[in-house]
Each structure stands twice: as structure tokens, then as C-alpha cells.
């Protein structure tokens, strides 16, 4: 792993320090989150659209145990450290943090993002952390292209027998 990638993957404490520095420099902060198991074009479009909200983009990645809880046994396909490294390699991403909780409410309280970007499989009203974002003074924004891509569907299509 190169030094620059390593510097993008941060602890929660380091993330709070960076956010404070970014804010003191006048930057806005956007938080995106997800499992990001088998990065696909839908993920890339989601993160690019989140970045276009302006400021710094933080990506919170579910830890392995929380991915298993959300997606079931056999997941994640790749460990959190590898998923974080792949995300850190993307130009649109300024910081990556791995979180063990089921959702990002604690991170929202810790960094108080200006925007919480969610993919188009949500509406602004259906985002589970919506109330927390609003309580911290932020706004939920749905970004990205239509939900036509899914790691779960990619995996399922590769495991099902092909029809001749």
C-alpha cells in the first residue's frame, strides 16, 4: 500500500481531527457509507456524485461483522481492510474509516457532516440515519445513478448455473 493510500484510511479519532482542520479551512464535509463489497460502477457513480456536493468526501465502510449481519453468511467477499484500500485509491475520496456499528449514527454525531449522501435505493425520508443528520445540522442527499447495480446480484449471477 502506498503512503498516500495509507494516509486516507484513518481511525475515528484521526477522522475527527481532520474534519476539524477541514472545517477551520472553510471546507464542507460529506459522508457516504456502505459495505462496498465488490466495488462496481454503481459505487463509483455514487461516490463521484457525493463528491460533487463539494468539500471533502469521507467514506465509512462497514466492518466485516456488520456486513455479515446485513448481507448474510459468506459475506463480505473481501475483508474491510482491502475494501478500505480500494476506496482510498479513488480520486474522489478524501478519507476512509471502517466502522463496526450497524449504522453510521455514531460517526454522524462525531463529525457532524454537512451532507450525508445515500444512494438511489433510498429516498431522503427512508434513510435510517436521517433524524441524526438533521439533529446535527446536516442534510440527507440522495445521489448517484438508478440502483441497477448490486454486489449481491453480481455474486448471485456468478454462482447460478448458466442456462444454455
Amino acid at each position: 500500500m502506498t503512503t498516500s493510500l495509507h494516509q486516507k484510511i484513518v481511525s475515528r479519532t484521526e477522522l475527527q481531527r481532520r474534519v476539524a482542520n477541514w472545517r477551520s479551512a472553510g471546507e464542507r464535509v460529506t459522508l457516504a457509507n456502505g459495505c462496498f463489497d465488490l466495488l462496481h460502477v454503481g459505487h463509483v457513480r455514487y461516490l463521484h456524485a457525493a463528491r460533487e456536493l463539494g468539500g471533502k468526501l469521507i467514506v465509512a465502510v462497514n466492518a466485516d461483522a456488520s456486513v455479515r449481519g446485513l448481507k448474510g453468511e459468506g459475506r463480505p467477499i473481501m475483508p474491510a481492510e482491502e475494501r478500505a484500500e480500494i476506496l482510498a485509491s479513488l480520486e474522489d475520496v478524501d478519507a476512509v474509516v471502517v466502522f463496526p456499528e450497524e449504522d453510521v449514527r455514531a460517526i454522524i454525531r462525531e463529525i457532524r457532516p454537512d451532507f450525508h449522501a445515500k444512494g438511489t435505493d433510498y429516498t431522503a425520508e427512508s434513510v435510517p440515519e436521517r433524524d441524526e443528520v438533521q439533529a446535527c445540522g446536516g442534510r440527507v442527499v440522495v445521489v448517484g445513478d438508478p440502483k441497477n447495480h448490486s454486489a449481491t446480484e453480481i455474486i448471485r449471477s456468478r454462482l447460478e448455473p448458466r442456462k444454455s
Side-chain angles (χ1 to χ4, degrees), residues 1-7 85:
M1 179 170 18
T2 68
T3 305
S4 61
L5 289 182
H6 182 66
Q7 291 173 348
E85 186 175 340

Side-chain angles (χ1 to χ4, degrees), residues 9 18 24 59 104:
I9 303 169
R18 287 192 190 183
S24 68
V59 180
V104 290

Side-chain angles (χ1 to χ4, degrees), residues 1 4-5 7 12 46 54-55 60 73 80 88 104-105 115 124 127 129-130 140 142 148 154 164:
M1 179 170 18
S4 61
L5 289 182
Q7 291 173 348
R12 302 269 279 268
Y46 159 56
E73 278 306 311
V104 290
R105 285 183 174 92
F115 303 107
V127 171
E129 304 89 353
R130 177 176 171 253
V140 171
V142 173
N148 296 330
I154 292 168
S164 305

Side-chain angles (χ1 to χ4, degrees), residues 99-155:
F99 69 99
E101 298 92 349
E102 289 184 17
D103 62 42
V104 290
R105 285 183 174 92
I107 293 175
I108 290 166
R109 286 190 297 274
E110 292 165 8
I111 66 168
R112 305 177 70 83
D114 298 287
F115 303 107
H116 182 204
K118 294 298 280 186
T120 57
D121 46 336
Y122 290 93
T123 65
E125 295 74 33
S126 71
V127 171
E129 304 89 353
R130 177 176 171 253
D131 292 342
E132 197 72 49
V133 173
Q134 292 174 336
C136 290
R139 197 172 102 217
V140 171
V141 183
V142 173
V143 298
D145 64 349
K147 181 72 175 184
N148 296 330
H149 309 92
S150 159
T152 301
E153 288 303 315
I154 292 168
I155 293 164

Side-chain angles (χ1 to χ4, degrees), residues 35-39 62-65 67-68 71-83 86 150-156 158-159:
C35 297
F36 300 100
D37 198 13
L38 296 183
L39 191 69
N62 291 77
D64 295 346
V67 174
R68 260 188 305 284
K71 305 289 185 179
E73 278 306 311
R75 300 286 298 274
I77 300 298
M78 294 184 299
E81 298 78 21
E82 291 179 14
R83 291 181 280 127
I86 291 168
S150 159
T152 301
E153 288 303 315
I154 292 168
I155 293 164
R156 185 176 294 128
R158 300 303 189 266
L159 295 177

